[in-house]
Amino acid sequence: MRIFHIALILLGFCSVFPIAQVKAQSLETIGQLARDGAPNLALQLMDQIQPEADSNTPGWIFFERQRFAIMQNWQQWQLLIQRYNDLPKSLPEDFMQWARLQKVDALIKLDQAGAARQTLRELIWQSQNKDKIDLPLIRRLIIRSYRIENNLADVDLAMRHYERDYGNEGVAWKKLRARVLLRSEKMQDALVFLESVSGTATELKSKDVLDHEALAMRLLAELRSKRRTPKSVLGDVRTLINNKKLADIHRVRYLAVGAEAAEGFGGMLTRVRLLEEALPIAYLSSRADRLFSLSGDDLWRAYEDYAIAEGNQQQLLIGQDKSWLSEATKWISKRPEKARALFSVVMHRGAQGTGRLEQQQAYEGFVASLAEKEKGKAIMRQLFLSENLYPTTVDIPLFVRYQLVDDAIERQDIARASELMLDLDNAPKDADQFNWGLSRARVLILGGKVDQGRGVL
């Protein structure tokens, strides 16, 4: 295990390289770091090259917008809110209005609807140039805040007032209206708004740009209203996700629709494959975007449904763990998704008792299979940091926790690493106990657990 050396390299990155060398890093490189799963490192590098706000305000604002984008992409909502609260007070008003709207969006993503509306009131009251305030946008944000509270009466009233003042035209408005109708399970009414703004999957070749958000909602409405068959909807999803230029936020929405469509016609293997593809980017479909939200629990359920169906064909009984392991091993190379599904049955529904050899073998086989898959570590994070099956770190098997610690340190997620390492007194298999202790102490201290880190030392 390379954990100690990785910790030294990543945690000491900015001290190893001279500032001048760090400044030579392009913004594109920082963006790539964020996309590769190291947003905290990307933000630290940005600290090194961002100019001072007082001496170069336009340059500082340019970098600050990129900083906000990284935090939004990784759903670091609390960090974004704190960043806004710490902004210098002398910045141009148009930037401050923009930044405050980003804070409102973050508050909505955190389900803090009341705080979001209070922030919007402050934006209006404190603005020195009220002519530049985008009132329609503010009204739409207020509607979103009511929506996350599931306050459908206020949503309906606010929408009727909006249509009275601004009409019912405009793409942004139609999408918001459709989203609320979908949440209210009024699929046919939602389609009235979506058909005029979404386009169709068959137009992908003839149009340079489709409104993918609207099209994802349209496919979902067509699926749930039974206007189209699940296989037909899935066909469109496949066409759309084959577009290599498709942004991940749109891709994860289409994958969520595709997984639901696959479930609709019993395509269990297809459902598993789509969810495995979606899970590494599922963070982009935030809690506020509940129409397309996915979690590790969705994939666990898909594994179990698929495995039980396959086990029934092979006449495998729950609790016959050796038979399930033997069957899983047969599929590791030919159909790894099937192997992972079969392993999961032993992991979660096997014979009772802790520390069982068969359960340990299932976890090891499952993690080893994921390690062979592109973005397998991201899938592992979503699965084993699930709140339902593994509500606390103690519930995660030790073998898996060591893998998650390595992953967290590689991504410089020190808070997560320190949480996972807190009670791991013993080094993993084949690792040096002394180096493990040093690494653990370092991570705990950097993660804010100073007393525990001192105790380890």
Side-chain angles (χ1 to χ4, degrees):
M1 185 171 285
R2 312 184 325 271
I3 186 170
F4 182 58
H5 300 291
I6 293 169
L8 287 176
I9 292 169
L10 286 177
L11 297 175
F13 188 93
C14 290
S15 61
V16 170
F17 291 97
I19 290 178
Q21 195 171 342
V22 173
K23 284 186 176 181
Q25 298 287 335
S26 67
L27 193 59
E28 181 180 352
T29 301
I30 290 175
Q32 189 61 50
L33 276 172
R35 289 189 293 273
D36 286 345
N40 295 328
L41 180 56
L43 293 174
Q44 287 183 18
L45 290 177
M46 191 173 288
D47 289 338
Q48 300 288 336
I49 64 175
Q50 185 173 14
E52 295 293 331
D54 293 339
S55 59
N56 184 357
T57 301
W60 183 91
I61 288 175
F62 173 80
F63 279 95
E64 196 66 10
R65 288 179 182 271
Q66 314 312 311
R67 183 189 300 275
F68 272 61
I70 290 172
M71 292 186 289
Q72 288 166 333
N73 286 340
W74 283 91
Q75 294 195 22
Q76 295 175 318
W77 307 123
Q78 293 289 4
L79 184 62
L80 187 152
I81 291 168
Q82 185 58 51
R83 183 71 184 182
Y84 170 83
N85 292 339
D86 294 339
L87 287 176
K89 305 304 180 185
S90 58
L91 294 170
E93 185 180 3
D94 59 344
F95 172 77
M96 291 301 295
Q97 283 190 9
W98 173 85
R100 193 174 300 216
L101 290 173
Q102 310 317 301
K103 177 184 176 180
V104 171
D105 181 66
L107 289 167
I108 290 175
K109 298 289 174 48
L110 292 172
D111 290 344
Q112 297 179 22
R117 290 193 291 269
Q118 176 60 31
T119 304
L120 288 171
R121 283 193 288 268
E122 292 170 358
L123 186 153
I124 296 172
W125 293 338
Q126 297 174 10
S127 175
Q128 297 178 5
N129 190 347
K130 292 183 170 50
D131 292 338
K132 291 188 176 181
I133 296 176
D134 190 342
L135 285 177
L137 173 59
I138 289 176
R139 296 272 291 274
R140 293 196 298 272
L141 287 169
I142 291 171
I143 292 170
R144 283 179 57 196
S145 76
Y146 289 140
R147 196 183 76 222
I148 64 172
E149 292 176 323
N150 215 25
N151 189 342
L152 297 182
D154 282 348
V155 167
D156 184 64
L157 180 62
M159 283 192 152
R160 284 193 277 115
H161 286 171
Y162 185 99
E163 289 183 334
R164 180 196 64 196
D165 295 338
Y166 303 109
N168 60 1
E169 297 300 320
V171 172
W173 171 250
K174 288 182 177 181
K175 289 194 294 186
L176 179 58
R177 195 78 170 93
R179 186 177 286 276
V180 172
L181 289 167
L182 285 170
R183 287 284 305 279
S184 302
E185 299 184 3
K186 297 178 180 178
M187 305 301 161
Q188 299 292 351
D189 293 337
L191 283 168
V192 172
F193 288 93
L194 291 170
E195 287 171 346
S196 63
V197 297
S198 68
T200 65
T202 57
E203 294 175 326
L204 185 61
K205 294 181 180 179
S206 61
K207 284 188 174 183
D208 293 332
V209 179
L210 285 177
D211 190 320
H212 290 290
E213 181 186 8
L215 181 50
M217 287 193 288
R218 176 175 176 172
L219 290 173
L220 188 64
E222 290 174 336
L223 175 66
R224 292 181 177 177
S225 66
K226 296 182 170 54
R227 178 179 290 194
R228 293 175 59 192
T229 65
K231 286 189 176 182
S232 173
V233 170
L234 181 60
D236 278 3
V237 167
R238 292 190 186 282
T239 298
L240 291 157
I241 63 176
N242 283 336
N243 176 12
K244 294 181 179 180
K245 296 181 180 180
L246 185 67
D248 281 346
I249 180 59
H250 305 313
R251 187 177 302 279
V252 73
R253 287 170 177 152
Y254 288 135
L255 288 167
V257 176
E260 186 172 327
E263 185 178 11
F265 68 84
M268 295 182 183
L269 176 57
T270 299
R271 179 184 168 206
V272 166
R273 286 174 171 169
L274 292 172
L275 287 172
E276 284 191 341
E277 184 178 349
L279 221 53
I281 53 175
Y283 66 91
L284 292 170
S285 184
S286 65
R287 290 185 301 171
D289 193 8
R290 290 182 177 88
L291 288 176
F292 306 102
S293 62
L294 295 171
S295 70
D297 293 329
D298 295 303
L299 182 52
W300 283 130
R301 284 192 292 271
Y303 280 143
E304 182 171 309
D305 291 343
Y306 179 36
I308 296 300
E310 293 295 311
N312 287 340
Q313 290 187 6
Q314 298 297 321
Q315 297 183 331
L316 299 175
L317 299 178
I318 298 296
Q320 295 179 340
D321 293 348
K322 290 183 179 179
S323 298
W324 285 89
L325 287 174
S326 176
E327 184 67 19
T329 304
K330 295 177 185 177
W331 295 97
I332 288 175
S333 298
K334 291 187 291 185
R335 190 170 292 171
E337 305 92 349
K338 182 174 180 177
R340 289 191 283 273
L342 294 166
F343 280 132
S344 75
V345 171
V346 181
M347 290 157 55
H348 299 142
R349 299 189 60 181
Q352 298 300 310
T354 58
R356 294 183 301 102
L357 177 61
E358 290 81 11
Q359 189 180 52
Q360 177 73 9
Q361 290 174 339
Y363 275 108
E364 291 178 358
F366 184 91
V367 171
S369 177
L370 270 184
E372 297 295 320
K373 182 175 177 60
E374 184 181 3
K375 298 184 179 179
K377 289 182 179 180
I379 298 173
M380 181 176 67
R381 284 197 299 276
Q382 294 283 349
L383 289 172
F384 288 102
L385 298 177
S386 158
E387 294 181 358
N388 289 332
L389 284 176
Y390 305 97
T392 69
T393 55
V394 177
D395 297 307
I396 304 172
L398 285 179
F399 169 78
V400 179
R401 282 177 68 184
Y402 287 122
Q403 312 301 314
L404 292 170
V405 166
D406 265 356
D407 173 62
I409 290 180
E410 286 177 1
R411 295 181 297 107
Q412 211 190 18
D413 187 348
I414 302 307
R416 176 69 71 183
S418 64
E419 178 186 350
L420 289 164
M421 295 178 83
L422 186 59
D423 62 336
L424 292 180
D425 296 326
N426 296 319
K429 185 179 179 181
D430 300 327
D432 179 79
Q433 182 68 36
F434 179 76
N435 281 343
W436 169 260
L438 285 178
S439 177
R440 181 168 169 244
R442 178 183 179 88
V443 171
L444 288 172
I445 291 169
L446 289 173
K449 297 176 172 59
V450 177
D451 291 339
Q452 293 92 330
R454 185 185 296 117
V456 172
L457 288 174

